Amino acid sequence: LIIVLSGVVAGADLLVQGFNDAAIQAVVRRAAAGDTVRLPAGDYVFTGTVTVDRPLVLVGAGRLLDVGIIEPGEPNEPPRWGPAPSVCRTDDDDLTLFEVAGAGVTFRHLKLVGAVTHSEGTSTGIRISGHDALTVKDCELTRFRIAVGLSNSVRGVVTGSYVHENYRDGFGYGVSVTGPTMATGGSEVTISHNEFTYNRHAIASNSPATRFVVADNYFHDNDLSQRQASVDSHPQGGYALRAVIRDNHFERTRPMAFSSG
């Protein structure tokens, strides 16, 4: 499947050859705007950061099932993968796997695994700073200090994904939104139909006037030891908080904490 991004003509379908960050980076550098970079199933070992600086779709093998849907009975099982996913992993607890340095980048069907523990590590799964239209769809992100980090960007979408165990001491975020100019251009972050568990905060922001839409997510078992909120916001400088939070399910967790800054 090739996704056509706004203002971009659909392009080629390029296959990554090799199971490391260098192989992915080589294909990204060859790709033109609108191309799809496809990662076959398998373990991709990262020792460096892959930079994506043009509108591309990065697609891995694998499908997440039952994300954002509460399964009947107890305990609730996590989402299931099928077929085997493309797993991007690192043993470096300070490494960022993907640095997004352009607009219109989409990640789909990828599993990203960091090495952050409760006491060590600063790595990020996907980081975007100062760019527009990041989409993370049908992915699994685990064991980062920040799974998806948006800073001074414009729009972001995280949907259909399983985000868990992103926790280090007093930090640890599933989706983090930061930066005093995040609101420039009508900033909006939409987070829907995801499952969040065992994160320090599932969603956190200090970005003033950013509009949040948090809908149809399943939050459970979040950092119970320190009662940190699943959804947390404390905008810088006392700016207004604009949020739409609807049809979510919170289970065995402190749901929300809002402050005017």
Side-chain angles (χ1 to χ4, degrees), residues 42-192:
D43 276 8
Y44 294 77
V45 179
F46 279 58
T47 57
T49 298
V50 172
T51 300
V52 185
D53 60 356
R54 64 206 72 186
L56 298 174
V57 181
L58 288 87
V59 179
R63 298 291 187 275
L64 273 176
L65 303 178
D66 299 329
V67 173
I69 298 173
I70 305 166
E71 299 180 10
E74 292 288 347
N76 288 305
E77 297 179 356
R80 300 180 295 274
W81 281 95
S86 307
V87 181
C88 301
R89 68 172 71 249
T90 180
D91 293 325
D92 184 345
D93 61 12
D94 294 323
L95 180 68
T96 293
L97 268 65
F98 288 97
E99 184 77 38
V100 176
V105 175
T106 297
F107 294 84
R108 293 187 64 194
H109 306 316
L110 289 170
K111 181 174 182 177
L112 275 59
V113 181
V116 170
T117 67
H118 283 192
S119 58
E120 296 181 339
T122 62
S123 69
T124 299
I126 300 171
R127 179 168 59 199
I128 178 171
S129 178
H131 298 284
D132 185 21
L134 170 69
T135 298
V136 179
K137 183 175 183 180
D138 302 332
C139 292
E140 180 176 354
L141 300 102
T142 183
R143 298 185 62 198
F144 297 100
R145 182 179 177 272
I146 300 174
V148 180
L150 300 100
S151 176
N152 292 338
S153 301
V154 182
R155 293 170 296 169
V157 174
V158 180
T159 187
S161 295
Y162 181 35
V163 186
H164 60 106
E165 297 178 75
N166 300 290
Y167 182 167
R168 196 217 73 191
D169 287 341
F171 303 96
Y173 311 99
V175 180
S176 172
V177 184
T178 61
T181 62
M182 185 76 190
T184 300
S187 174
E188 179 167 305
V189 178
T190 302
I191 303 166
S192 67

Side-chain angles (χ1 to χ4, degrees), residues 1 79 215:
L1 177 65

